[in-house]
Amino acid sequence: MCQLFTVHWTLTPRVPPQPWIVCGGCGGLRPFEASGRFRLNANGKKLDAWLIYKCRTCGATWNRPLFERRAVRDLAPEILEALHANDPARIRAHAFDLAGLKRHARRVDTFADHDLVKTGPLAPEGWTALEIALTVTDPVAVRLDRLLASELAIPRARLAVLASSGGLRVDPDRKDALRREPATGTRILVVPSGEEERWALAAGAVR
Ligand SMILES: [Zn+2]
């Protein structure tokens, strides 16, 4: 009989994705980083908005279009205010929008630096399987097996053994799921073999 110990992990990247853009300043294909500021241009009742990026080599700017010629009256007042105030939460939402960024740059680098918040109940008496429900707020360039190995203090080789023997399952079960970056909604089920592994998993699951 399977007694589940379910915990939730929320993975958040620390570094925004960096697009590679041909720089107007130093003239090559360069990585750019978000500057933390918007640029707005009002034209009558229409508004253009960009997020300003800076070349990491020379500091020249690239303006990433967010929207063009949008009627001001169609924008929610709080959005207008956030744009005018360079609101950090609004900046962050755009800076981490990888899909949006990929519309403007063929190459976009993502990074492994992340924060992880673990929440869950106390391990129930006699639990037999640990279930980790993963939320990934924005893409993080970290392999699932590296994440699990460092957080659960189980070597990656051991994780591979567990996976091949059915003691570790990833849902959805994509090919090479352990070697890929985890997507939000991923669930990981680990069945410990032995009391020592059970204790180690319980310790790493929520702290
Ligand atoms: Zn440059």
Side-chain angles (χ1 to χ4, degrees), residues 23 25-27 30 32 55 57-60:
C23 180
C26 58
R30 304 276 188 248
F32 276 65
C55 171
T57 303
C58 75

Side-chain angles (χ1 to χ4, degrees), residues 64-80:
R64 169 186 164 192
L66 300 178
F67 57 77
E68 288 177 291
R69 302 197 53 74
R70 183 80 60 86
V72 172
R73 65 178 147 69
D74 290 345
L75 289 163
E78 60 271 22
I79 288 181
L80 265 181

Side-chain angles (χ1 to χ4, degrees), residues 102-183:
K102 281 185 167 169
R103 287 199 286 272
H104 301 286
R106 206 175 285 174
R107 173 179 169 186
V108 181
D109 293 347
T110 53
F111 301 93
D113 284 6
H114 61 266
D115 292 308
L116 184 65
V117 176
K118 302 172 179 176
T119 56
L122 288 173
E125 193 84 20
W127 67 273
T128 55
L130 171 67
E131 181 190 42
I132 301 165
L134 199 60
T135 299
V136 185
T137 61
D138 291 293
V140 180
V142 64
R143 282 166 48 150
L144 181 58
D145 60 354
R146 286 185 195 280
L147 180 74
L148 294 174
S150 70
E151 296 299 332
L152 298 173
I154 293 179
R156 279 194 288 146
R158 172 68 189 146
L159 290 173
V161 169
L162 278 170
S164 61
S165 66
L168 186 157
R169 291 206 308 267
V170 181
D171 176 40
D173 183 20
R174 301 186 301 168
K175 187 172 166 17
D176 292 330
L178 274 176
R179 293 194 196 159
R180 294 182 182 219
E181 298 171 17

